[in-house]
Structures are given as C-alpha cells and as structure tokens.
Amino acid sequence: MSTTADLVVALKQELKSARMTYADLARALGMAESSVKRMLARGDMPLSRIDAICQVLRLDFADLARRVADAQPLTDGLTLEQERAVVADRILVLMAICVLSQWTLEQVTTAYRITEAEGVRALAQLDRLGIIELRPGNRYRLKLAKTFRWRPNGPVMEYFRENALLDYFGGGFDGAGEGMLLVHGRVSRALAPVFLERLRRVAQDFAQQHLADQKLAESEREAYTLVLAMRNWEFAAFTAMRRTRPVRDTSAHKA
C-alpha cells in the first residue's frame, strides 16, 4: 500500500510535469499559496486533499497510486522463510513460476488443472510474500528485479533439484529448437564473471521474447524451458583420476 508521503512526492512530480506552480494550484484549490507550500513540504495531508489535487491535475487517484507502486524498489531475492512458503504448496510453486513468465490467470487455468479460485488464492499468497502486487481483475505487477535469483541452496532450488533436474536432463535435446552444450575449459578468473553476465543477457532475451510473443496465436507458440548455468566444477569421475602431485620424470640415463 502506498503511504501518504509517497503519494505527495508523486503529486509534486505530476505538478512539475504539468508545469503548474504552487500559485496555480493554490488558486485552483481556493487556498493561500503559503498554505499549499506548507502542506506539500510536510508531505502529510488527508486523502480528500490528495484527491482534490488529482482533480486539478485531471489525474485519477488510482493511476497516481499505481505510479507510486511502480516506483517502489524491486527485490532481487526472497528470504529463506518466503521460499519455504512457496515450495510448501504445489499450486503455489506452479503459480510462482508462471507469474515469473508473466502468465495471466486465464492462461494458467486453461493450461493446468487448477480452478480459478485456487489460482486467485495462490496469487493472493504471492502478493503477501512480496513476489507480486495483486491488482483488480486478478491482474498483477511483478515486484522482482531483473537481477532476481532464487537462493542458490535455498528451498526452491532444492525443490527443482529433487523434482525436475533428472526429468529435464533425461530428454534427448534432439527436437526442433532444442540442444544441449557442454563445454569444459580453464579461463581467467577475471573473465568468468563476464561470461556469466552474457548468460544472464541470454536469459533476459528469452524472457522478453516470451512476452513479445504473447500476441501470437496459441498454435504458433511452443513451450520451451531454458536452463543456463556456469560454475567452478569438474565431473567427479574425472576428479577421481587426477594426480595428487606432478610426477617427476626419472627415466633420464646418466652419461
């Protein structure tokens, strides 16, 4: 919920955009300019006064509140307790993944065997967890930053390791638009983060294309899941074959 102070800050921005001075606003409200300045400087006023200023600006109060909500800082991760709450309910896990892909409630209930009531209940839970801001008509706004990540060793990633990884990598990756690359190498520690950033950009491109293709007919779209990863790792079977120390060459013959 937007605080009054946040609303007042947004009103000041709207006044500036409309090139309306405090004197102009005072005349429209039938108040003294000094009173208007003092009221806006304090950042505290009744909602009725905020609504009156909105009318002067020809701005709907709901639009103002929405702009304030959209300007709130986004989160790049959830707490351990929040993630535990997500994985505690199978429908909530499904809904969390779907909202990350910006699915509508109708799309979710059409694709999966969950009722509208179950979907709405899940959206309300995601709102309480701070993942979305639920809006009228079961619409929502994601409150997660582009840099959002599930906790690397948290409940959600553990859930997918136990329930999805074997299923995912058990596929042949030989269908249209499918493929799996496995590349092993030794690179500079300084360059490793650069490659990781490239992977993140690929993930963002994929997510943005998903949103752009929502305008296409259902028959023109196919469900794909992109998994990108990079870590300091070696296959355990190879590690077991490593030498513990370099072997010295003792085969040279004395002259």
Side-chain angles (χ1 to χ4, degrees):
M1 179 65 69
S2 304
T3 66
T4 302
D6 293 329
L7 292 170
V8 172
V9 170
L11 279 177
K12 290 179 180 178
Q13 294 172 341
E14 293 296 328
L15 287 168
K16 185 176 181 179
S17 298
R19 297 183 178 180
M20 179 176 286
T21 66
Y22 287 170
D24 295 331
L25 179 60
R27 281 193 296 272
L29 295 174
M31 298 174 60
E33 182 179 353
S34 58
S35 298
V36 169
K37 287 182 178 179
R38 187 166 54 252
M39 179 176 64
L40 291 172
R42 285 201 309 263
D44 185 21
M45 65 181 76
L47 291 179
S48 58
R49 183 66 72 188
I50 293 176
D51 191 49
I53 298 175
C54 285
Q55 291 179 29
V56 171
L57 291 168
R58 296 182 179 179
L59 174 68
D60 188 86
F61 179 84
D63 289 335
L64 178 69
R66 190 173 300 115
R67 292 176 194 181
V68 170
D70 289 344
Q72 297 303 306
L74 301 177
T75 182
D76 56 7
L78 302 181
T79 66
L80 194 61
E81 291 71 23
Q82 287 173 316
E83 287 204 2
R84 283 173 178 158
V86 170
V87 299
D89 185 317
R90 179 176 54 88
I91 292 178
L92 194 58
V93 174
L94 170 65
M95 209 65 184
I97 299 304
C98 287
V99 299
L100 284 174
S101 298
Q102 301 280 333
W103 283 41
T104 66
L105 177 61
E106 182 181 4
Q107 287 175 318
V108 176
T109 55
T110 299
Y112 299 102
R113 291 193 302 273
I114 68 172
T115 66
E116 181 177 348
E118 289 172 329
V120 171
R121 187 160 55 248
L123 287 176
Q125 286 179 272
L126 294 176
D127 178 88
R128 287 193 293 272
L129 290 170
I131 295 175
I132 64 171
E133 177 200 342
L134 190 56
R135 292 176 171 176
N138 295 320
R139 294 179 298 109
Y140 61 86
R141 179 183 73 94
L142 266 180
K143 297 174 68 175
L144 306 179
K146 289 183 178 180
T147 55
F148 172 80
R149 290 182 62 198
W150 299 113
R151 299 173 71 89
N153 296 300
V156 174
M157 289 306 298
E158 188 61 31
Y159 176 90
F160 282 102
R161 287 189 187 99
E162 292 179 359
N163 298 279
L165 278 188
L166 290 179
D167 184 39
Y168 182 84
F169 286 107
F173 294 89
D174 51 1
E178 295 184 359
M180 181 169 67
L181 303 174
L182 177 61
V183 183
H184 176 70
R186 299 177 69 85
V187 300
S188 161
R189 289 190 182 90
L191 286 178
V194 176
F195 282 100
L196 184 58
E197 181 57 33
R198 289 182 183 178
L199 294 179
R200 288 187 178 126
R201 287 203 295 269
V202 171
Q204 290 175 3
D205 288 345
F206 184 86
Q208 289 170 358
Q209 193 61 52
H210 160 78
L211 295 177
D213 285 353
Q214 293 306 298
K215 62 181 181 294
L216 300 177
E218 185 68 29
S219 59
E220 297 180 60
R221 293 178 288 145
E222 191 65 69
Y224 290 93
T225 297
L226 179 69
V227 176
L228 299 172
M230 179 174 170
R231 61 173 289 206
N232 185 345
W233 176 85
E234 182 180 56
F235 185 38
F238 295 168
T239 303
M241 298 167 63
R242 278 189 174 272
R243 297 184 187 277
T244 56
R245 67 175 67 88
V247 176
R248 298 177 60 184
D249 185 358
T250 58
S251 61
H253 295 287
K254 293 182 180 180

